[in-house]
Amino acid sequence: MSVPLLNASGCLDALTAPEVATTLDAFVTKTVTPLPREGNPPPRIAETGGWMLNSIGLQNPGIEIFSTNVLPRLVELEVPIWVSAGGFSASDYRNCCERLDALDAVAVIELNLSCPNVDEAPETAVELVRASRDATSKPLYVKLSPATPDIAELARAVADVGADGLSLVNTLRGLALDAGTARPRLALGRGGASGPALRPIALACVHACANAVELPIVGIGGVVSGTDVMDFISVGASAVALGTVLFADPFSPARIRGELEQEPRFRGYGSVASIGGLGRASAFTAGS
Ligand SMILES: Cc1cc2nc3c(=O)[nH]c(=O)nc-3n(C[C@H](O)[C@H](O)[C@H](O)COP(=O)(O)O)c2cc1C
């Protein structure tokens, strides 16, 4: 039995580390937006306590260059490709999904609903998912913020408008100050907080949503070990994505697979589905 392992969006560059990407069950791209984005000025990464703060600013080449220059190179890795799509309005999400819908190489579209300047109100999230659903028949995973007031209710709402799966969770908003100057350590002040400290929050989100909807869930947040992966599976995830850990330990997917073999919770279970998650395999099939 094996647990599908992915990278979390924005945490692995498959073209510079193909030897890592090819050990995953699917590769998730950094969020792509309709137009190119240069990203935020540095410093845009800081470590603080059990957290990492980032403010990359959705740096990406835009959907046009992504489709023509980046995606064909990713296809050569022969790993199913999940494309993370984002934007600043419903029409941006629709635009991305329309473009991605036409590309055979795209196995799954993951909607990043935590984009800068995007109102994270549940009504907005539902509107963005509806616009995306209208634009594509590809499997559509919706990535939610752990700051959502009632995440189970939002999970039900996005399921009702056609989401095929959930990716739980994105970063939490955080701020770290320089002890000497009391100035923010990131150029733009606040950033997204990720890493081990996020794990209990992410586990609670997966648990709540797994009890609310019958959708497959990718568990994301602070995973560093095989035990952490099993925790996510135990509360209802059917796959797990590795994020911040990839910066410290790029070969963590292979290490974690080894640790999973030793996990006592593997014993006595025939499949991921029997532990908790739904174990839907279709989203891990490479595009033709
Ligand atoms: C440097 C960095 C860049 C990220 N970029 C994206 C992104 O482009 N799109 C997205 O949906 N999430 C992005 N994330 C969030 C991760 O995909 C993940 O949801 C989050 O980091 C929590 O997982 P972790 O604690 O294992 O890192 C980024 C995270 C980091 C650390």
Side-chain angles (χ1 to χ4, degrees), residues 35-233:
L35 295 175
R37 288 177 56 83
E38 275 188 13
N40 294 333
R44 31 190 217 174
I45 299 261
E47 271 185 69
T48 173
W51 302 89
M52 178 164 123
L53 280 188
N54 89 84
S55 163
I56 307 297
L58 292 187
Q59 182 178 341
N60 80 95
I63 191 83
E64 182 69 46
I65 293 189
F66 172 82
S67 307
T68 53
N69 293 7
V70 181
L71 190 60
R73 293 166 67 202
L74 292 175
V75 170
E76 288 172 15
L77 299 173
E78 295 185 354
V79 172
I81 297 163
W82 291 32
V83 178
S84 168
F88 302 89
S89 63
S91 70
D92 279 356
Y93 281 81
R94 185 179 302 114
N95 180 342
C96 277
C97 289
E98 263 167 14
R99 297 294 305 272
L100 296 170
D101 190 66
L103 302 172
D104 284 347
V106 177
V108 171
I109 302 173
E110 182 181 83
L111 298 179
N112 176 3
L113 299 187
S114 307
C115 292
N117 307 326
V118 171
D119 172 11
E120 289 194 30
E123 308 76 55
T124 313
V126 172
E127 188 198 332
L128 299 179
V129 177
R130 192 181 281 123
S132 304
R133 180 73 288 168
D134 287 348
T136 183
S137 52
K138 299 260 187 205
L140 201 56
Y141 274 58
V142 178
K143 187 167 179 184
L144 299 179
S145 160
T148 308
D150 185 343
I151 200 164
E153 186 184 298
L154 181 56
R156 272 188 224 102
V158 299
D160 285 348
V161 293
D164 296 304
L166 300 172
S167 296
L168 303 172
V169 290
N170 213 313
T171 50
L172 271 177
R173 195 164 299 159
L175 176 68
L177 301 183
D178 179 89
T181 62
R183 302 277 309 151
R185 288 172 57 200
L186 297 180
L188 290 197
R190 295 182 304 188
S194 63
L198 183 60
R199 198 167 56 240
I201 299 163
L203 275 173
C205 291
V206 171
H207 182 250
C209 293
N211 283 308
V213 293
E214 296 266 310
L215 295 179
I217 297 173
V218 181
I220 315 170
V223 172
V224 297
S225 70
T227 303
D228 300 338
V229 169
M230 287 309 295
D231 284 353
F232 276 98
I233 299 298

